[in-house]
Amino acid sequence: METGDSILPIRIERSGFCALCVEIDTTLCSYETGAPGAIPDIYLGKKSELIARSSRCQSCRAFVSCVEEECAVQSEILTQAFDGDFGFSAHFIDSNPVLGISFGPPPSEPTHPGKTRQLMNRFGTIWLFSADQDILEGSTSWLTGTPRLFDPRRCDPSIIRQWLQHCQCNHGDRCLRPASWLVTSEIRRNFIDVNLECIVTPAEVVPFVALSYVWGKVETLQALLSNIEELKRPGSLSASGSQDVPRTIRDAMKLCALTCQRYLWVDRVCIVQDDYATKQQHLQAMAETYAKAEFTIVAADGSDANHGLSGFGQGIGERQKHLVPFPSKPLIRGSKWTLGNSISSDNTVWSSRAWTFQEHVFSRRLVYIDKFVNWICASARWSEALAPPLNASPPGTAELDTQLPGDKIFVIDWPSLKKYAGMVEQYNLRQLTYESDAANAFMGLMTQMCEGFPAGFFGGVPEFYFTICLLWQPKNRLRPRFREPSASFLPTWSWLGWSGPLDLQMWTCNTDTELPSASDEVTISPLVEWFKAPGRQSNSRIDDSYIVVRKHFLEKSAPPPPGWEKHDGDHSSGHRSYYTYHAREHMGYTRKFRYPLPPTQRYRDINAVESSSLYLYASVRKAFFVFGAPEDASRRPAQLSDNDAYDVVELPLYTTSSMWAGSIRVHASAREPIPIGHRCEVICIAKGSLPLTGDMSHKTPAPPAVHLNHLFTLCTERKELIGETHFDFYFVLWIRWDGDIVRRNALGVIWDRIWEQALPEEVDIKLG
């Protein structure tokens, strides 16, 4: 028998544990007491051996269960690897986490376990924490605090009360600010009174909690004109009442009662669903509702309204898996919360739904429930499985805080296109039951951001940066929403008309406002004046005014407006002069700008998203080119597994006389042929200029890149640009005609020297 195949001798030393797990327990005690000579590693055997011991050993059973769950959420390669008979090993650490259970290919020399650490964690490691040690402050991998032995049956409600009290007393404007500038409405809200167990409509302003959850496809209770009076009868929502209350709502009522919060707002029950006029008012006031809630309960681990809340009667088995038993004491398995992962990396149903995105953004504080009960606000992130450091600190200090940037997203209250791009990218990856809701599920966000973005939004695009925002690109798997009959009104020119991953490089690095400059920054100049209505009256003109602001300060050297201060350049600004804003904190006192931006606007009644068709009207120049063959034929798979999947491919563009003209990123389904050799009709919408790296006059063109992630990769490597210091070009849209309406197909670039040779002609268009 090979050494690697030897079966380790098993002897049950204590009831419920094998000899190896007893040895782990003993070694852990040695590490805690600082005993010299403690071994660093123990080889536990192959998966099949742990499974054989699982009926007699609680620890081995827990190890296998943990790895099975880990593989279920990891890549397909890891899931397939788990089907093989790989090895397990225990690795001891002299700080918290105290133990790592690694799994990987079985070592050839199990008698020398100390040499196997690097090999064994090839597939992954399960980290286990002790409740008797603090996690060292300043750790880059774990949240600071003391792991807490939680009750798998229920969450301790006093923890939530402590979190709320600390946030209210210590965080100040950091967690109150999102509500301070929001537009208020006069609507009266219904709430669930958890004491009376019915719907009430308080005459005065009351503190309340909101619920964010996934409705799912199950039939659930909803308020209707026909039953609202019955829902207002005391006791109607009790367990013995007349209504079948979904489990998630009932558990949320229980959470509120245990945390001394009397009023709960739930959209489906508190908004009368068939009172359409009132319902629309509540939808428009959604930002205010969530922002004014004391906190929002997020039912993240539920797929429908009947799932319930973990820690409040549900999810006991899943919570139990995070307590790994040993003879002396259980250890706590690291979760995404103790491991410091962001909720943006969540794979829950809740985080995949489009409607829940704005609920997250609007809420000041989240009680985020996914197996564990967790807290997220602008200043801190806490978990019931981890007690933050609670030193004897005087009132008003914030030693409880654990700040993890990026966890909590808030409405943008100044014209930051980079922040808006991040918001759009996250939203567009989420799913809608009805694609026609794409605008409605984002409408509340845009309505509130009208205060920060001058002139508001049209079709999901901020008018202040309108031309730049037409320069988005598709990534693989982006699908057109507007091909759904119910969503045909969504525009092809806006990101709202598409679902899936977007390439927003032109948004994030080319606003020409913040310093330092992006390494791949492009100078963009609008060429087209867009209008929202035929006739092109001045009151329907798109207010694409960032270029006006830029010219006013950069070319005319205008004095800084009130609240702004101009500074001489330094190293961090690339030795360019810059501006800072001091009138309000919302833009950040230290952020450096090339020129002043318009301040927060007085709220105007801007219709951020219209429900009717969204057309653009303009006079543009159009020309014709020819699609060339892709320079890297491997860029597009020969066959996608899903016939409805969409793929992108970079194609060169040529003149009708076969001169190279530019490139375009074509986006088509697997069932559509690549239009090589076909005529391409384009319209010109903006001018661009890109500095070329190094001296192109002596460079040999590089071979085509395997992964073309940048819009200009194909162009800047062309032999035609040898000797050029800049690539000056036009942004063009490939269009198709549908009657008198023009549809966007793709975005490309045409070298400016070639554009005029193509004999462009002026044409009036209606872009839809």
Side-chain angles (χ1 to χ4, degrees):
M1 181 179 295
E2 293 293 327
T3 305
D5 295 329
S6 61
I7 302 298
L8 296 172
I10 300 302
R11 178 168 53 88
I12 301 299
E13 293 288 342
R14 300 181 193 174
S15 176
F17 297 95
C18 69
L20 284 171
C21 292
V22 170
E23 185 179 359
I24 291 176
D25 188 65
T26 303
T27 305
L28 286 170
C29 293
S30 299
Y31 269 82
E32 288 184 356
T33 59
I39 59 175
D41 307 271
I42 295 178
Y43 180 64
L44 301 177
K46 295 181 179 179
K47 180 187 72 173
S48 58
E49 295 167 347
L50 269 72
I51 292 175
R53 303 200 297 266
S54 291
S55 61
R56 299 170 291 167
C57 178
Q58 300 176 55
S59 298
C60 287
R61 183 163 59 248
F63 297 157
V64 174
S65 176
C66 288
V67 171
E68 284 179 335
E69 184 176 320
E70 186 76 13
C71 291
V73 299
Q74 294 296 333
S75 65
E76 183 178 347
I77 295 176
L78 187 55
T79 304
Q80 293 173 350
F82 189 74
D83 293 334
D85 198 12
F86 54 81
F88 285 70
S89 65
H91 306 289
F92 300 92
I93 308 168
D94 57 5
S95 60
N96 227 356
V98 296
L99 184 66
I101 303 297
S102 297
F103 50 105
S108 58
E109 299 182 18
T111 56
H112 297 87
K115 299 180 181 180
T116 67
R117 183 182 293 240
Q118 184 175 1
L119 177 66
M120 289 299 300
N121 66 10
R122 181 172 168 185
F123 293 161
T125 299
I126 305 297
W127 300 105
L128 302 179
F129 294 79
S130 169
D132 296 330
Q133 295 184 39
D134 291 343
I135 297 174
L136 297 178
E137 189 171 354
S139 170
T140 58
S141 301
W142 328 106
L143 297 184
T144 302
T146 305
R148 179 161 35 204
L149 288 175
F150 55 89
D151 187 341
R153 298 167 299 175
R154 64 183 66 86
C155 172
D156 181 356
S158 67
I159 295 174
I160 301 175
R161 292 197 297 268
Q162 180 191 33
W163 291 339
L164 177 60
Q165 181 182 16
H166 183 89
C167 181
Q168 291 173 329
C169 295
N170 294 289
H171 293 168
D173 286 346
R174 286 180 292 172
C175 294
L176 293 176
R177 184 181 61 82
S180 65
W181 63 278
L182 293 174
V183 182
T184 58
S185 65
E186 301 299 324
I187 64 172
R188 292 183 63 189
R189 294 174 179 83
N190 294 329
F191 298 102
I192 297 175
D193 186 323
V194 301
N195 293 349
L196 299 178
E197 297 182 299
C198 66
I199 298 295
V200 298
T201 310
E204 69 284 349
V205 175
V206 295
F208 66 94
V209 170
L211 175 65
S212 178
Y213 65 111
V214 177
W215 286 6
K217 297 182 179 180
V218 298
E219 290 295 327
T220 62
L221 174 67
Q222 57 181 329
L224 301 169
L225 291 170
S226 59
N227 70 355
I228 187 62
E229 293 306 317
E230 171 60 22
L231 295 178
K232 291 184 177 182
R233 184 178 59 82
S236 62
L237 302 180
S238 67
S240 58
S242 60
Q243 303 298 320
D244 184 14
V245 180
R247 186 175 297 166
T248 298
I249 297 177
R250 190 172 298 284
D251 287 349
M253 293 170 63
K254 183 190 304 182
L255 188 157
C256 287
L258 292 172
T259 55
C260 305
Q261 300 291 328
R262 180 170 180 175
Y263 297 102
L264 171 66
W265 186 88
V266 182
D267 54 1
R268 190 99 165 183
V269 182
C270 296
I271 300 175
V272 179
Q273 299 297 308
D274 55 355
D275 183 352
Y276 298 109
T278 303
K279 181 179 178 179
Q280 189 64 26
Q281 293 175 4
H282 281 277
L283 288 176
Q284 293 175 348
M286 199 70 75
E288 180 188 358
T289 300
Y290 281 97
K292 288 187 174 179
E294 294 298 307
F295 56 84
T296 297
I297 301 168
V298 175
D301 56 358
S303 58
D304 58 52
N306 279 327
H307 182 276
L309 300 179
S310 296
F312 293 88
Q314 310 303 320
I316 297 175
E318 291 299 312
R319 288 163 63 84
Q320 184 71 57
K321 289 180 182 179
H322 284 261
L323 294 176
V324 178
F326 284 96
S328 297
K329 62 182 180 182
L331 296 182
I332 303 166
R333 175 187 166 195
S335 70
K336 61 188 165 196
W337 295 94
T338 52
L339 298 183
N341 292 353
S342 169
I343 62 172
S344 62
S345 62
D346 249 348
N347 58 357
T348 62
V349 176
W350 180 88
S351 63
S352 71
R353 304 302 297 171
W355 279 103
T356 62
F357 182 74
Q358 63 177 358
E359 295 166 11
H360 169 192
V361 175
F362 292 144
S363 300
R364 290 178 292 160
R365 310 176 180 101
L366 303 177
V367 173
Y368 189 91
I369 302 176
D370 180 13
K371 297 181 184 176
F372 298 105
V373 179
N374 310 279
W375 177 277
I376 307 171
C377 62
S379 305
R381 196 180 90 180
W382 307 312
S383 172
E384 66 168 319
L386 184 73
L390 283 171
N391 300 330
S393 51
T397 62
E399 294 197 20
L400 186 64
D401 298 355
T402 302
Q403 178 69 41
L404 285 180
D407 277 350
K408 185 70 187 73
I409 307 170
F410 288 106
V411 173
I412 306 164
D413 53 0
W414 65 279
S416 171
L417 188 54
K418 185 180 297 184
K419 290 180 180 291
Y420 184 67
M423 187 174 285
V424 167
E425 285 174 332
Q426 289 194 46
Y427 173 79
N428 223 44
L429 293 175
R430 296 187 172 220
Q431 301 169 3
L432 286 161
T433 303
Y434 306 103
E435 294 293 355
S436 56
D437 282 339
N440 286 336
F442 204 69
M443 178 172 59
L445 290 168
M446 290 186 286
T447 300
Q448 296 303 323
M449 288 188 290
C450 284
E451 288 204 5
F453 284 82
F457 295 77
F458 183 69
V461 174
E463 290 195 28
F464 186 67
Y465 297 115
F466 197 82
T467 295
I468 290 179
C469 289
L470 296 179
L471 309 181
W472 58 268
Q473 285 277 46
K475 291 184 179 179
N476 285 334
R477 309 292 172 176
L478 185 74
R479 298 170 180 269
R481 301 186 200 269
F482 49 79
R483 291 189 179 177
E484 296 288 334
S486 64
S488 59
F489 64 90
L490 292 173
T492 60
W493 50 266
S494 169
W495 64 269
L496 269 178
W498 306 77
S499 171
L502 294 163
D503 181 349
L504 302 181
Q505 291 184 85
M506 292 299 99
W507 296 21
T508 57
C509 68
N510 296 294
T511 60
D512 197 29
T513 55
E514 290 184 60
L515 292 170
S517 306
S519 58
D520 51 358
E521 186 174 84
V522 178
T523 301
I524 300 171
S525 301
L527 296 177
V528 176
E529 194 172 35
W530 298 100
F531 295 85
K532 306 173 192 176
R536 303 178 201 167
Q537 301 298 318
S538 60
N539 60 356
S540 72
R541 185 178 62 84
I542 294 290
D543 189 8
D544 189 4
S545 55
Y546 93 94
I547 186 67
V548 177
V549 174
R550 184 178 69 179
K551 286 182 177 180
H552 181 70
F553 290 102
L554 294 187
E555 298 179 11
K556 298 182 179 180
S557 300
W564 289 88
E565 182 180 354
K566 188 174 183 179
H567 306 266
D568 294 331
D570 56 23
H571 177 72
S572 64
S573 67
H575 300 287
R576 300 184 183 187
S577 59
Y578 63 91
Y579 297 81
T580 56
Y581 186 68
H582 299 283
R584 282 184 58 193
E585 187 273 336
H586 72 296
M587 291 176 66
Y589 297 141
T590 61
R591 185 173 276 114
K592 298 178 180 179
F593 296 89
R594 288 186 183 173
Y595 47 86
L597 293 172
T600 298
Q601 305 297 296
R602 179 181 60 82
Y603 183 73
R604 293 169 292 169
D605 189 18
I606 299 172
N607 191 2
V609 179
E610 297 179 8
S611 58
S612 59
S613 298
L614 292 162
Y615 294 108
L616 290 173
Y617 299 85
S619 290
V620 297
R621 300 173 76 199
K622 76 169 185 177
F624 293 91
F625 297 89
V626 178
F627 291 108
E631 301 193 10
D632 181 1
S634 65
R635 280 291 299 144
R636 186 178 190 185
Q639 180 65 47
L640 294 173
S641 58
D642 181 358
N643 285 334
D644 292 326
Y646 283 76
D647 189 31
V648 298
V649 60
E650 308 277 353
L651 297 180
L653 290 174
Y654 294 90
T655 66
T656 54
S657 58
S658 301
M659 293 178 59
W660 175 80
S663 71
I664 194 165
R665 185 179 298 182
V666 175
H667 174 246
S669 75
R671 294 174 293 185
E672 298 174 327
I674 302 176
I676 299 171
H678 291 209
R679 194 169 73 157
C680 174
E681 183 177 3
V682 301
I683 59 172
C684 175
I685 61 172
K687 186 83 189 290
S689 180
L690 175 70
L692 296 176
T693 304
D695 183 2
M696 291 292 292
S697 61
H698 302 294
K699 293 182 66 174
T700 301
V706 175
H707 298 291
L708 299 172
N709 294 321
H710 197 283
L711 181 64
F712 310 103
T713 303
L714 276 179
C715 297
T716 57
E717 294 172 345
R718 296 287 306 191
K719 67 179 187 301
E720 288 86 352
L721 296 183
I722 292 177
E724 302 292 334
T725 59
H726 284 74
F727 175 45
D728 296 316
F729 59 90
Y730 291 102
F731 286 101
V732 297
L733 295 182
W734 171 29
I735 61 170
R736 60 182 171 84
W737 291 86
D738 184 3
D740 65 339
I741 299 173
V742 169
R743 312 287 189 192
R744 167 191 160 132
N745 273 353
L747 174 72
V749 294
I750 298 292
W751 194 11
D752 64 348
R753 296 185 186 179
I754 301 298
W755 174 256
E756 295 300 335
Q757 298 179 29
L759 303 177
E761 60 178 293
E762 195 87 9
V763 61
D764 292 341
I765 64 165
K766 177 183 178 182
L767 183 61

